[in-house]
Structures are given as C-alpha cells and as structure tokens.
Amino acid sequence: MLEKIQETANYIRNKVGNIPEYAIILGTGLGELANAITDKREIPYNEIPNFPVSTVEGHSGKLIFGKLGEKEVIAMQGRFHYYEGYNMKEVTFPVRVFQALQVKYLFVSNAAGGMNGSFDVGDIMLIDDHINLFPEHPLRGKNFNELGTRFPDMSNAYDKNLRLLAMEIAKENEIKLQHGVYIGTSGPTFETPAEYNYFRIIGGDAVGMSTVPEVIVANHAKMQVLAFSIITDIGIIGKIVEVTHEEVQEAAKIAQPKMAFIIKEVIKRLN
C-alpha cells in the first residue's frame, strides 16, 4: 500500500511539479465548480497509476490542477464510492496520495438528503460533525505509523477554525448557510421514509453515500477539513417525494456557485 501511494504521488509530482496545499473533492453534480479553476492542467484518472476510476454519472473522473482565485489547488472532479464495489482503502486512496503530496487542507462537497425541518432543496449545509454508518471502516486493518496513529482523535474532524471562517464569509455575502450533522451510509439506494426518520432521531441533519471515509482518512493524515452538503432532496415525514439521480444533479448544479464562492474565499484568506 505504501509503495502504491508513493508511486502515484511521484507520477503526479513529475507531471505537475509544485503541488498545492489545498485539495478539493467534488461530489455528485458538483463537478461544475471545476469551471472556476483557471490555468488548468488535467489528468484523467485512468492515466494515474493505482487510481480507481469513477463509474457514476455526474463524476467525470479527472484530477485538475490550477488556480482558484489566486491560490493553486488540486481538485478531484469525481470521487469513488463504497457502493461502486470499491473497498474503503480504494475509496480513500486519493486522500492518501494527497497526504504523500503534503496537502494541508481538504475541502469536501457532496449532495445529500435533508432531514432537518428547516432545510429546503438547494440549501448549503456546513458539516459540523458526522455519524459513520458505513459497514467498513477506512482505517480497519494494519496501521502504518507513517500514515498516522492507530487511534486518531475525531473531536475536531471538521476543523472549527475553518468552519468559523466559512460562516463569516457566508454572513458577509448574505449567503444562507445551514449547519448540521452528516450521516454517511453505504447506498446505493435512496433512503426509505423510516430510514430518514431513524437518521433524524439519532441526530442527523443530512444523509449521503460519501464524505465520511475521506474525512476519517484526512484526519488520520492530520489534514484540516472543511465540508459542505448541498441539500438536493428532503426526507422529512410528510414531505418525502420520489427522487431520481438526475434531480439530485440538477439541484446541486443550481446551488454550487454559492458553495464555490465560499470555498474560494476561505482558501484566499488562509495563510
């Protein structure tokens, strides 16, 4: 595993040269944020040694290097999911490569179903915390001390200072920003009404099929994490309607310019 991580990191370093401190993972329907990146250099996933390849519509499968505002960034346009058949080591492999490339900040986005009664479709939720309901843990198995400690602390999984900065930027620019706990599940089915109700009872505000594995590994790697959900459907008793993947993508596209602005401004104000 360590050899594969290093091989992939060396390939990317040789292709790109200087590696940014900022990495962004773009979720379902959120790949358009990549259009805000200038001076782009792109590497398709299928050209990168050891990299999985995304099989989901709305995940185009490219690693993008360029500028978001004045700062250099790496962006994953398309991520990998447990429901695609990948194991958790494969799902989180890109984060391990970012670690080897000495990325310091990880920004994560996803499309999610909202269970909080104050949420509307198209809202942006700043993730304050998560509940991990995936059946496999990304740190299961032998621990490599080179990658992180055996029992990593998760009390600040979503960095408090980054969240405060995002809140400040949203307030300054009159962007509505919700807050909440994200529940990560394996998918690929959307939730039943009873499951939505259960997730709300145990403390969830939004639910999705990604993010949690990457955030766990990023914390293991001592990265600072900021993450957002775009609420693309509502799972509240009495308001639940049938939802399609296409509708999720469309709702995400409408909301993403505001999320992109917040991420861009946070990066601008760091360092």
Side-chain angles (χ1 to χ4, degrees):
M1 181 182 173
L2 293 175
E3 288 174 3
K4 283 184 176 179
I5 292 167
Q6 208 52 58
E7 180 189 7
T8 307
N10 289 341
Y11 173 86
I12 292 169
R13 201 178 280 111
N14 290 335
K15 275 275 197 183
V16 178
N18 291 334
I19 302 296
E21 294 182 334
Y22 311 97
I24 306 167
I25 299 176
L26 303 172
T28 301
L30 301 170
E32 292 295 314
L33 187 148
N35 291 338
I37 298 173
T38 58
D39 300 333
K40 274 190 279 199
R41 290 157 290 171
E42 299 179 350
I43 311 175
Y45 291 162
N46 59 12
E47 293 180 8
I48 302 173
N50 309 312
F51 237 63
V53 177
S54 180
T55 65
V56 183
E57 187 182 343
H59 292 253
S60 65
K62 291 183 288 190
L63 205 55
I64 300 170
F65 296 81
K67 285 188 174 181
L68 191 61
E70 296 302 311
K71 297 281 186 72
E72 295 281 346
V73 299
I74 312 172
M76 283 181 67
Q77 192 170 16
R79 59 145 60 91
F80 314 112
H81 302 81
Y82 186 73
Y83 64 73
E84 293 177 78
Y86 295 120
N87 64 45
M88 283 300 187
K89 294 286 190 291
E90 293 168 324
V91 167
T92 59
F93 183 77
V95 181
R96 288 300 185 199
V97 174
F98 293 157
Q99 179 182 8
L101 294 170
Q102 298 184 313
V103 166
K104 292 182 181 177
Y105 300 94
L106 183 66
F107 299 84
V108 188
S109 64
N110 62 55
M115 290 92 69
N116 187 312
S118 68
F119 288 4
D120 294 311
V121 169
D123 279 355
I124 301 168
M125 184 186 90
L126 180 65
I127 301 178
D128 294 326
D129 204 345
H130 73 229
I131 297 172
N132 180 17
L133 295 183
F134 282 93
E136 182 189 341
H137 198 283
L139 302 184
R140 178 177 173 268
K142 178 178 171 59
N143 186 69
F144 296 96
N145 291 328
E146 302 96 316
L147 300 180
T149 183
R150 170 77 280 188
F151 301 106
D153 176 70
M154 294 292 289
S155 61
N156 191 33
Y158 300 85
D159 186 81
K160 184 178 179 181
N161 291 330
L162 292 181
R163 284 187 283 127
L164 288 171
L165 185 53
M167 289 160 57
E168 184 181 309
I169 289 162
K171 187 176 180 181
E172 286 171 6
N173 293 276
E174 298 182 347
I175 297 172
K176 181 184 176 185
L177 193 61
Q178 303 280 19
H179 297 262
V181 173
Y182 177 87
I183 292 182
T185 67
S186 66
T189 52
F190 291 114
E191 290 67 34
T192 68
E195 286 168 339
Y196 274 129
N197 194 40
Y198 163 65
F199 294 149
R200 183 62 180 155
I201 288 168
I202 66 171
D205 295 284
V207 59
M209 307 168 194
S210 67
T211 300
V212 170
E214 295 106 314
V215 170
I216 289 170
V217 169
N219 274 267
H220 190 239
K222 299 292 187 186
M223 293 180 199
Q224 291 172 259
V225 176
L226 183 67
F228 299 90
S229 292
I230 289 181
I231 305 303
T232 51
D233 61 283
I234 296 295
I236 299 165
I237 298 298
K239 293 186 180 179
I240 298 171
V241 296
E242 186 177 335
V243 63
T244 68
H245 185 67
E246 290 72 27
E247 288 168 334
V248 167
Q249 287 179 281
E250 193 56 37
K253 282 180 183 176
I254 293 167
Q256 67 178 326
K258 293 175 183 176
M259 185 193 70
F261 177 82
I262 294 171
I263 292 174
K264 183 177 175 180
E265 282 297 306
V266 168
I267 291 173
K268 180 180 176 182
R269 297 186 194 188
L270 288 172
N271 294 344

